Amino acid sequence: MAARKPSTRTASSKAKAPTNKDFTQEQDMSAYEDMLLIRRFEEKAGQLYGMGLIGGFCHLYIGQEAVVTGMQMCIREGEDQLLTSYRDHGHMLACGMDPKGVMAELTGRKGGLSKGKGGSMHMFSREKQFFGGHGIVGAQVPIGAGLAFANKYRGNDKVSLTYFGDGASNQGQVYESFNMASLWKLPVIFIVENNQYAMGTSVSRSSAQTDFAQRGAAFSIPGVKVDGMDVREVYAAGQDAVEHCRSGKGPIILEMNTYRYRGHSMSDPAKYRSKDEVQKMRSDHDPIEQVKQRILDKGWSDEEALKAIDKNVRETVKQAADFATNDPEPDVSELYTDILV
Amino acid sequence: MTIEILMPALSPTMEEGTLAKWLVKEGDEVQPGDVIAEIETDKATMEVEAVDEGAIGKIIIAEGSENVKVNTVIAILAGEGEDVSSTGISPLPTETFESETPGTASLPAEPIMVEVASDPDIPEGTEMVSTTVRDALRDAMAEEMRRDDDVFVMGEEVAEYQGAYKVTQGLLDEFSSRRVIDTPITEHGFAGLGVGAAFAGLKPIVEFMTFNFAMQAVDHIINSAAKTRYMSGGQMGCPIVFRGPNGAASRVAAQHSQCYAVWYSHIPGLKVVMPYTAADAKGLLKAAIRDPNPVIFLENEVIYGKSFDVPKLDDFVLPIGKARIHKAGVDVTIVSFGIGMKYAIEASEILTNVGIDAEVIDLRTIRPMDLDTVISSVQKTGRLVTVEEGFPQSSVGSYIASEVSKRAFDYLDAPVITLCGKDVPMPYAANLEKLALVTTDEVVEAVKTVTYMK
Ligand SMILES: Cc1ncc(C[n+]2csc(CCOP(=O)(O)OP(=O)(O)O)c2C)c(N)n1
Ligand SMILES: [Mg+2]
């Protein structure tokens, strides 16, 4: 089954259609670098997995970089909350968590962000207001609504960014959360990262209604379909959504149409889609290439300068990998710590 | 015909109340729905309505009486043309109801045990085929699906993907998408749907990608599947199998690594099977599919690829509820199940070299549990070590230990040791994960301890 092409943004329900604003030079340059960091980090993680340095499940975010990067540009880092599934490395890097700490968690070392106890799927940062890293499909959704509940309760104007997949969208607790969030006007942005597949199941094989932006209609939650491969579109929709929440209008849904290039996790034979389909997404819709092309077209930078940025990013990632492979494993005494206080 | 009007219970907790006021007097005609009295409880004053038609023959409890026990006769209603004053009914004593029904206390608190047949004899000369646990499970499902059109498989990635762990490989080809069904990620939903299908007489095999995700569905497993036969007075059966990998895999951390054997073993109305060998996996899964009860069938990702001899028979079905003596011995009893058997067997081999002849019992079924086999072994060896991967508090081993201390206390020569996984969520780091799991060395050490070799 062919993946649906990321469609252009169309407003539904009560959501206002955001206008397509071009990025400033500064925005394009920073988006480029941020997305590149995620891409290079994930490529390295894939390599380390292949070398046996990372174990268990490892879900890469390659292809989806524009979603979290664009959303992060809309919020106040360290104040607004975010949380997602096990496909979480990109979110952590985007919200400013230390690549060394993330990579060392992937290798299960002492210096990992969860001291090596959580692994790829389970990382958190109070400082960055990143609430995980959840291994159970859909479980983060009511938790995200709960973060928003706390914001409303305290009377601040913080927003909870609650990311989940197209597959997760079929879990009952998602709709229980929608109802409560709408009933209580909670400031939560439900971000469906529709990468067209849940493991080996395409959206059309799992969902009777594949328009995820409309999934809140029964709860009067507005929804917007967004081209999640274009960071500008993500940013524009994100700005409107954040404003919607901050101004007390309650929850909103953003359906980000995106695509994962790699397998579901490292052990995915990927027989459910064609190589052509993947290739076509990469060549026609790559989020990083789009920005790069714009930067070059506008003359904001040249190939050489962009290479230098790439080199810097690679160096950051290399340092993270070096740290993650040389850092010792956690002390055995850690087995019994952090269970209760 | 006279009708007794009883002191009503006006709340679930009400035991007695005050009959504040009669709104009728003897001889009055009443219709159903007429308010006849007011009753005060500790919480409220409530009106009592007549349920039947007739004349108030006799008021037995006078207005203003306090502490009138629920179910006391408060008045007599006479049917048409009857005169109650002459029927000779005398007021009942108020304290007719004892709080305890005689006999209750003598009912057993233990789980109900059922008679179970022994393993079928495998005829002399039967060919043994080395088979992986994965293929044995698939063969069991395929054989039962061929045999009975009511059997179908449902779960995430079971069909087109051929199973997340390839246990359902090939089933879609043979049985088509009518009987091998990919579900959305919606465990609570499809477990409940499976229960409904089972109520309607189908025999669903519901695969959980792993049993960690069955926690999403646990309400239907317990409240809907396990209890309905009882709640319906035996009318409504739920012939369903919930199966999938259980326990720690490798490096998948806390949310994806835990053993649910003891969780489900707690529940009356469920059977819980956890095989180790491929032959047991096959024979017991076939039995589970045929069983008219809900069966939790716990597999293990780590042993899917392990090969064992499986007898080549047309219809190899094993009894649920029967332990298997994996190796006979005289010095110590080691009881385990599922992947715990790996450590038990390895340990028994090491122990042989130091002169300890261990009897190794594979429980195979956790509920109903074959305690008789365990007890008679302990009566012979006098020492017991249990081995499992689950958490220590309220473990399967601790249940066995308590039963053994009840039924074979005098035979024990050492305290029972119950080996478990450590009392921590599963850590991700490789070194910590190793420490969190039970090990062969720990089994060896425990056996040495109970045999006073150290
Ligand atoms: C409750 C639950 N069921 C099943 C799984 C196994 N599982 C992990 S990821 C996944 C697919 C999820 O797809 P989607 O929500 O689209 O997110 P994506 O992986 O595409 O980011 C499944 C079935 C799980 N982790 N939790
Ligand atoms: Mg997906």
Side-chain angles (χ1 to χ4, degrees), chain A residues 86-87 135-137 165-168 171 195 197-199 264, chain B residues 156 185 187 209 213 216 256:
Chain A
Y86 43 82
R87 196 178 300 287
I136 303 304
V137 169
D166 46 282
Q171 285 285 35
N195 61 10
Y197 294 92
M199 287 189 73
H264 167 73
Chain B
E156 291 159 20
I185 308 170
E187 288 84 1
M209 193 177 284
F213 315 140
Q216 300 283 319
H256 280 73

PDB file of all heavy atoms in Angstrom, chain A residues 86-87 135-137 165-168 171 195 197-199 264, chain B residues 156 185 187 209 213 216 256, ligand 1:
ATOM      1  N   TYR A  86       8.382   6.027  22.682  1.00  0.00           N
ATOM      2  CA  TYR A  86       9.742   5.469  22.668  1.00  0.00           C
ATOM      3  C   TYR A  86      10.591   6.058  21.546  1.00  0.00           C
ATOM      4  O   TYR A  86      11.800   5.927  21.550  1.00  0.00           O
ATOM      5  CB  TYR A  86       9.630   3.946  22.462  1.00  0.00           C
ATOM      6  CG  TYR A  86       8.588   3.712  21.395  1.00  0.00           C
ATOM      7  CD1 TYR A  86       8.905   3.807  20.051  1.00  0.00           C
ATOM      8  CD2 TYR A  86       7.250   3.588  21.747  1.00  0.00           C
ATOM      9  CE1 TYR A  86       7.922   3.763  19.088  1.00  0.00           C
ATOM     10  CE2 TYR A  86       6.253   3.542  20.783  1.00  0.00           C
ATOM     11  CZ  TYR A  86       6.601   3.626  19.457  1.00  0.00           C
ATOM     12  OH  TYR A  86       5.638   3.608  18.493  1.00  0.00           O
ATOM     13  N   ARG A  87       9.972   6.662  20.536  1.00  0.00           N
ATOM     14  CA  ARG A  87      10.762   7.230  19.416  1.00  0.00           C
ATOM     15  C   ARG A  87      11.133   8.656  19.835  1.00  0.00           C
ATOM     16  O   ARG A  87      10.611   9.633  19.321  1.00  0.00           O
ATOM     17  CB  ARG A  87       9.915   7.231  18.132  1.00  0.00           C
ATOM     18  CG  ARG A  87      10.734   7.417  16.853  1.00  0.00           C
ATOM     19  CD  ARG A  87       9.855   7.364  15.602  1.00  0.00           C
ATOM     20  NE  ARG A  87       9.146   6.108  15.436  1.00  0.00           N
ATOM     21  CZ  ARG A  87       9.701   4.954  15.071  1.00  0.00           C
ATOM     22  NH1 ARG A  87      10.992   4.905  14.789  1.00  0.00           N
ATOM     23  NH2 ARG A  87       8.971   3.857  14.968  1.00  0.00           N
ATOM     24  N   GLY A 135       7.206   3.637  26.789  1.00  0.00           N
ATOM     25  CA  GLY A 135       7.280   2.402  26.013  1.00  0.00           C
ATOM     26  C   GLY A 135       5.942   1.797  25.668  1.00  0.00           C
ATOM     27  O   GLY A 135       5.852   0.937  24.798  1.00  0.00           O
ATOM     28  N   ILE A 136       4.903   2.228  26.336  1.00  0.00           N
ATOM     29  CA  ILE A 136       3.592   1.631  26.121  1.00  0.00           C
ATOM     30  C   ILE A 136       2.801   2.539  25.182  1.00  0.00           C
ATOM     31  O   ILE A 136       2.554   3.705  25.497  1.00  0.00           O
ATOM     32  CB  ILE A 136       2.857   1.441  27.468  1.00  0.00           C
ATOM     33  CG1 ILE A 136       3.697   0.578  28.419  1.00  0.00           C
ATOM     34  CG2 ILE A 136       1.480   0.845  27.270  1.00  0.00           C
ATOM     35  CD1 ILE A 136       4.097  -0.793  27.888  1.00  0.00           C
ATOM     36  N   VAL A 137       2.438   1.991  24.048  1.00  0.00           N
ATOM     37  CA  VAL A 137       1.825   2.803  22.993  1.00  0.00           C
ATOM     38  C   VAL A 137       0.555   3.496  23.496  1.00  0.00           C
ATOM     39  O   VAL A 137      -0.388   2.832  23.921  1.00  0.00           O
ATOM     40  CB  VAL A 137       1.510   1.939  21.751  1.00  0.00           C
ATOM     41  CG1 VAL A 137       0.630   2.702  20.771  1.00  0.00           C
ATOM     42  CG2 VAL A 137       2.811   1.528  21.072  1.00  0.00           C
ATOM     43  N   GLY A 165       1.858   8.583  17.950  1.00  0.00           N
ATOM     44  CA  GLY A 165       1.884   8.110  16.570  1.00  0.00           C
ATOM     45  C   GLY A 165       0.504   7.859  15.998  1.00  0.00           C
ATOM     46  O   GLY A 165      -0.511   7.899  16.697  1.00  0.00           O
ATOM     47  N   ASP A 166       0.490   7.568  14.695  1.00  0.00           N
ATOM     48  CA  ASP A 166      -0.762   7.190  14.033  1.00  0.00           C
ATOM     49  C   ASP A 166      -1.300   5.899  14.638  1.00  0.00           C
ATOM     50  O   ASP A 166      -2.504   5.735  14.819  1.00  0.00           O
ATOM     51  CB  ASP A 166      -0.535   7.015  12.530  1.00  0.00           C
ATOM     52  CG  ASP A 166       0.714   6.202  12.224  1.00  0.00           C
ATOM     53  OD1 ASP A 166       1.825   6.768  12.307  1.00  0.00           O
ATOM     54  OD2 ASP A 166       0.596   4.997  11.936  1.00  0.00           O
ATOM     55  N   GLY A 167      -0.395   4.980  14.955  1.00  0.00           N
ATOM     56  CA  GLY A 167      -0.841   3.723  15.550  1.00  0.00           C
ATOM     57  C   GLY A 167      -1.431   3.947  16.932  1.00  0.00           C
ATOM     58  O   GLY A 167      -2.487   3.413  17.279  1.00  0.00           O
ATOM     59  N   ALA A 168      -0.768   4.787  17.702  1.00  0.00           N
ATOM     60  CA  ALA A 168      -1.236   5.084  19.063  1.00  0.00           C
ATOM     61  C   ALA A 168      -2.620   5.708  19.027  1.00  0.00           C
ATOM     62  O   ALA A 168      -3.392   5.598  19.987  1.00  0.00           O
ATOM     63  CB  ALA A 168      -0.246   6.010  19.756  1.00  0.00           C
ATOM     64  N   GLN A 171      -5.684   3.832  20.339  1.00  0.00           N
ATOM     65  CA  GLN A 171      -5.845   3.400  21.725  1.00  0.00           C
ATOM     66  C   GLN A 171      -6.994   4.164  22.375  1.00  0.00           C
ATOM     67  O   GLN A 171      -7.120   5.381  22.210  1.00  0.00           O
ATOM     68  CB  GLN A 171      -4.568   3.654  22.532  1.00  0.00           C
ATOM     69  CG  GLN A 171      -3.434   2.686  22.251  1.00  0.00           C
ATOM     70  CD  GLN A 171      -3.632   1.315  22.874  1.00  0.00           C
ATOM     71  OE1 GLN A 171      -4.750   0.814  22.965  1.00  0.00           O
ATOM     72  NE2 GLN A 171      -2.556   0.679  23.282  1.00  0.00           N
ATOM     73  N   ASN A 195       3.392   9.025  10.646  1.00  0.00           N
ATOM     74  CA  ASN A 195       4.466   8.612   9.737  1.00  0.00           C
ATOM     75  C   ASN A 195       3.998   7.450   8.859  1.00  0.00           C
ATOM     76  O   ASN A 195       4.795   6.736   8.288  1.00  0.00           O
ATOM     77  CB  ASN A 195       5.745   8.278  10.518  1.00  0.00           C
ATOM     78  CG  ASN A 195       5.545   7.127  11.491  1.00  0.00           C
ATOM     79  OD1 ASN A 195       4.515   6.446  11.481  1.00  0.00           O
ATOM     80  ND2 ASN A 195       6.527   6.889  12.343  1.00  0.00           N
ATOM     81  N   TYR A 197       2.860   4.566   9.207  1.00  0.00           N
ATOM     82  CA  TYR A 197       2.925   3.160   9.620  1.00  0.00           C
ATOM     83  C   TYR A 197       3.020   3.027  11.132  1.00  0.00           C
ATOM     84  O   TYR A 197       3.648   3.854  11.793  1.00  0.00           O
ATOM     85  CB  TYR A 197       4.161   2.469   9.021  1.00  0.00           C
ATOM     86  CG  TYR A 197       4.111   2.362   7.518  1.00  0.00           C
ATOM     87  CD1 TYR A 197       4.676   3.358   6.729  1.00  0.00           C
ATOM     88  CD2 TYR A 197       3.475   1.290   6.906  1.00  0.00           C
ATOM     89  CE1 TYR A 197       4.611   3.281   5.347  1.00  0.00           C
ATOM     90  CE2 TYR A 197       3.408   1.211   5.527  1.00  0.00           C
ATOM     91  CZ  TYR A 197       3.972   2.203   4.747  1.00  0.00           C
ATOM     92  OH  TYR A 197       3.900   2.120   3.394  1.00  0.00           O
ATOM     93  N   ALA A 198       2.421   1.986  11.639  1.00  0.00           N
ATOM     94  CA  ALA A 198       2.658   1.548  13.008  1.00  0.00           C
ATOM     95  C   ALA A 198       3.300   0.174  12.861  1.00  0.00           C
ATOM     96  O   ALA A 198       2.650  -0.766  12.412  1.00  0.00           O
ATOM     97  CB  ALA A 198       1.347   1.440  13.773  1.00  0.00           C
ATOM     98  N   MET A 199       4.548   0.073  13.152  1.00  0.00           N
ATOM     99  CA  MET A 199       5.343  -1.124  12.823  1.00  0.00           C
ATOM    100  C   MET A 199       5.088  -1.472  11.367  1.00  0.00           C
ATOM    101  O   MET A 199       5.384  -0.669  10.490  1.00  0.00           O
ATOM    102  CB  MET A 199       5.011  -2.288  13.752  1.00  0.00           C
ATOM    103  CG  MET A 199       5.585  -2.074  15.145  1.00  0.00           C
ATOM    104  SD  MET A 199       5.451  -3.509  16.217  1.00  0.00           S
ATOM    105  CE  MET A 199       6.662  -4.604  15.546  1.00  0.00           C
ATOM    106  N   HIS A 264      10.886   0.267  11.743  1.00  0.00           N
ATOM    107  CA  HIS A 264      10.220   0.650  12.989  1.00  0.00           C
ATOM    108  C   HIS A 264      11.220   0.713  14.136  1.00  0.00           C
ATOM    109  O   HIS A 264      11.310   1.658  14.881  1.00  0.00           O
ATOM    110  CB  HIS A 264       9.113  -0.341  13.317  1.00  0.00           C
ATOM    111  CG  HIS A 264       8.598  -0.186  14.713  1.00  0.00           C
ATOM    112  ND1 HIS A 264       7.812   0.868  15.090  1.00  0.00           N
ATOM    113  CD2 HIS A 264       8.808  -0.922  15.834  1.00  0.00           C
ATOM    114  CE1 HIS A 264       7.542   0.765  16.384  1.00  0.00           C
ATOM    115  NE2 HIS A 264       8.138  -0.310  16.851  1.00  0.00           N
TER     116      HIS A 264
ATOM    117  N   GLU B 156      -1.924  -7.825  17.141  1.00  0.00           N
ATOM    118  CA  GLU B 156      -1.163  -6.846  16.369  1.00  0.00           C
ATOM    119  C   GLU B 156      -0.088  -7.549  15.551  1.00  0.00           C
ATOM    120  O   GLU B 156       0.697  -8.313  16.099  1.00  0.00           O
ATOM    121  CB  GLU B 156      -0.532  -5.829  17.323  1.00  0.00           C
ATOM    122  CG  GLU B 156      -1.571  -4.940  17.985  1.00  0.00           C
ATOM    123  CD  GLU B 156      -1.085  -4.276  19.273  1.00  0.00           C
ATOM    124  OE1 GLU B 156       0.128  -4.174  19.487  1.00  0.00           O
ATOM    125  OE2 GLU B 156      -1.953  -3.872  20.079  1.00  0.00           O
ATOM    126  N   ILE B 185      -3.715  -1.063  17.201  1.00  0.00           N
ATOM    127  CA  ILE B 185      -3.082  -1.113  18.529  1.00  0.00           C
ATOM    128  C   ILE B 185      -4.137  -0.668  19.527  1.00  0.00           C
ATOM    129  O   ILE B 185      -4.318   0.512  19.783  1.00  0.00           O
ATOM    130  CB  ILE B 185      -1.853  -0.200  18.598  1.00  0.00           C
ATOM    131  CG1 ILE B 185      -0.910  -0.507  17.440  1.00  0.00           C
ATOM    132  CG2 ILE B 185      -1.122  -0.387  19.930  1.00  0.00           C
ATOM    133  CD1 ILE B 185       0.200   0.509  17.291  1.00  0.00           C
ATOM    134  N   GLU B 187      -5.365  -2.811  22.664  1.00  0.00           N
ATOM    135  CA  GLU B 187      -5.439  -4.059  23.430  1.00  0.00           C
ATOM    136  C   GLU B 187      -6.715  -4.187  24.243  1.00  0.00           C
ATOM    137  O   GLU B 187      -7.328  -5.257  24.272  1.00  0.00           O
ATOM    138  CB  GLU B 187      -4.231  -4.179  24.363  1.00  0.00           C
ATOM    139  CG  GLU B 187      -2.917  -4.481  23.667  1.00  0.00           C
ATOM    140  CD  GLU B 187      -2.218  -3.254  23.127  1.00  0.00           C
ATOM    141  OE1 GLU B 187      -2.745  -2.135  23.309  1.00  0.00           O
ATOM    142  OE2 GLU B 187      -1.149  -3.397  22.517  1.00  0.00           O
ATOM    143  N   MET B 209       1.268  -8.746  21.673  1.00  0.00           N
ATOM    144  CA  MET B 209       2.622  -8.670  21.114  1.00  0.00           C
ATOM    145  C   MET B 209       3.625  -9.019  22.207  1.00  0.00           C
ATOM    146  O   MET B 209       4.577  -9.754  21.975  1.00  0.00           O
ATOM    147  CB  MET B 209       2.875  -7.293  20.527  1.00  0.00           C
ATOM    148  CG  MET B 209       4.108  -7.223  19.674  1.00  0.00           C
ATOM    149  SD  MET B 209       4.333  -5.613  18.910  1.00  0.00           S
ATOM    150  CE  MET B 209       3.128  -5.652  17.599  1.00  0.00           C
ATOM    151  N   PHE B 213       1.802  -5.524  27.265  1.00  0.00           N
ATOM    152  CA  PHE B 213       0.718  -4.733  26.692  1.00  0.00           C
ATOM    153  C   PHE B 213      -0.655  -5.271  27.102  1.00  0.00           C
ATOM    154  O   PHE B 213      -1.668  -4.602  26.930  1.00  0.00           O
ATOM    155  CB  PHE B 213       0.851  -4.666  25.161  1.00  0.00           C
ATOM    156  CG  PHE B 213       2.263  -4.392  24.710  1.00  0.00           C
ATOM    157  CD1 PHE B 213       2.814  -5.024  23.606  1.00  0.00           C
ATOM    158  CD2 PHE B 213       3.064  -3.514  25.444  1.00  0.00           C
ATOM    159  CE1 PHE B 213       4.119  -4.781  23.227  1.00  0.00           C
ATOM    160  CE2 PHE B 213       4.373  -3.270  25.061  1.00  0.00           C
ATOM    161  CZ  PHE B 213       4.909  -3.905  23.949  1.00  0.00           C
ATOM    162  N   GLN B 216      -2.924  -3.224  29.365  1.00  0.00           N
ATOM    163  CA  GLN B 216      -3.966  -2.350  28.828  1.00  0.00           C
ATOM    164  C   GLN B 216      -5.311  -3.077  28.847  1.00  0.00           C
ATOM    165  O   GLN B 216      -6.359  -2.450  28.829  1.00  0.00           O
ATOM    166  CB  GLN B 216      -3.653  -1.976  27.365  1.00  0.00           C
ATOM    167  CG  GLN B 216      -2.346  -1.250  27.158  1.00  0.00           C
ATOM    168  CD  GLN B 216      -2.435   0.201  27.557  1.00  0.00           C
ATOM    169  OE1 GLN B 216      -3.421   0.862  27.291  1.00  0.00           O
ATOM    170  NE2 GLN B 216      -1.414   0.691  28.226  1.00  0.00           N
ATOM    171  N   HIS B 256       9.022  -3.105  29.514  1.00  0.00           N
ATOM    172  CA  HIS B 256       8.880  -4.242  28.600  1.00  0.00           C
ATOM    173  C   HIS B 256       9.419  -5.546  29.183  1.00  0.00           C
ATOM    174  O   HIS B 256       9.602  -6.504  28.446  1.00  0.00           O
ATOM    175  CB  HIS B 256       9.622  -3.970  27.291  1.00  0.00           C
ATOM    176  CG  HIS B 256       8.885  -3.086  26.328  1.00  0.00           C
ATOM    177  ND1 HIS B 256       8.735  -1.751  26.521  1.00  0.00           N
ATOM    178  CD2 HIS B 256       8.257  -3.360  25.158  1.00  0.00           C
ATOM    179  CE1 HIS B 256       8.070  -1.214  25.501  1.00  0.00           C
ATOM    180  NE2 HIS B 256       7.755  -2.176  24.672  1.00  0.00           N
TER     181      HIS B 256
HETATM  182  C1  LIG C   1       0.300  -0.969  24.396  1.00  0.00           C
HETATM  183  C2  LIG C   1       1.337  -1.376  23.430  1.00  0.00           C
HETATM  184  N1  LIG C   1       1.012  -2.230  22.436  1.00  0.00           N
HETATM  185  C3  LIG C   1       1.942  -2.615  21.540  1.00  0.00           C
HETATM  186  C4  LIG C   1       3.222  -2.150  21.629  1.00  0.00           C
HETATM  187  C5  LIG C   1       4.268  -2.594  20.614  1.00  0.00           C
HETATM  188  N2  LIG C   1       4.544  -1.489  19.693  1.00  0.00           N
HETATM  189  C6  LIG C   1       5.565  -0.651  19.914  1.00  0.00           C
HETATM  190  S1  LIG C   1       5.620   0.572  18.797  1.00  0.00           S
HETATM  191  C7  LIG C   1       4.273   0.010  17.983  1.00  0.00           C
HETATM  192  C8  LIG C   1       3.780   0.766  16.789  1.00  0.00           C
HETATM  193  C9  LIG C   1       3.342   2.152  17.122  1.00  0.00           C
HETATM  194  O1  LIG C   1       3.136   2.898  15.972  1.00  0.00           O
HETATM  195  P1  LIG C   1       2.863   4.436  15.979  1.00  0.00           P
HETATM  196  O2  LIG C   1       1.994   4.816  17.110  1.00  0.00           O
HETATM  197  O3  LIG C   1       2.403   4.816  14.629  1.00  0.00           O
HETATM  198  O4  LIG C   1       4.280   5.124  16.290  1.00  0.00           O
HETATM  199  P2  LIG C   1       5.622   5.047  15.433  1.00  0.00           P
HETATM  200  O5  LIG C   1       6.357   3.850  15.883  1.00  0.00           O
HETATM  201  O6  LIG C   1       5.262   5.018  14.002  1.00  0.00           O
HETATM  202  O7  LIG C   1       6.385   6.275  15.817  1.00  0.00           O
HETATM  203  C10 LIG C   1       3.804  -1.149  18.585  1.00  0.00           C
HETATM  204  C11 LIG C   1       2.664  -1.928  18.122  1.00  0.00           C
HETATM  205  C12 LIG C   1       3.534  -1.284  22.706  1.00  0.00           C
HETATM  206  N3  LIG C   1       4.774  -0.810  22.889  1.00  0.00           N
HETATM  207  N4  LIG C   1       2.582  -0.904  23.569  1.00  0.00           N
END
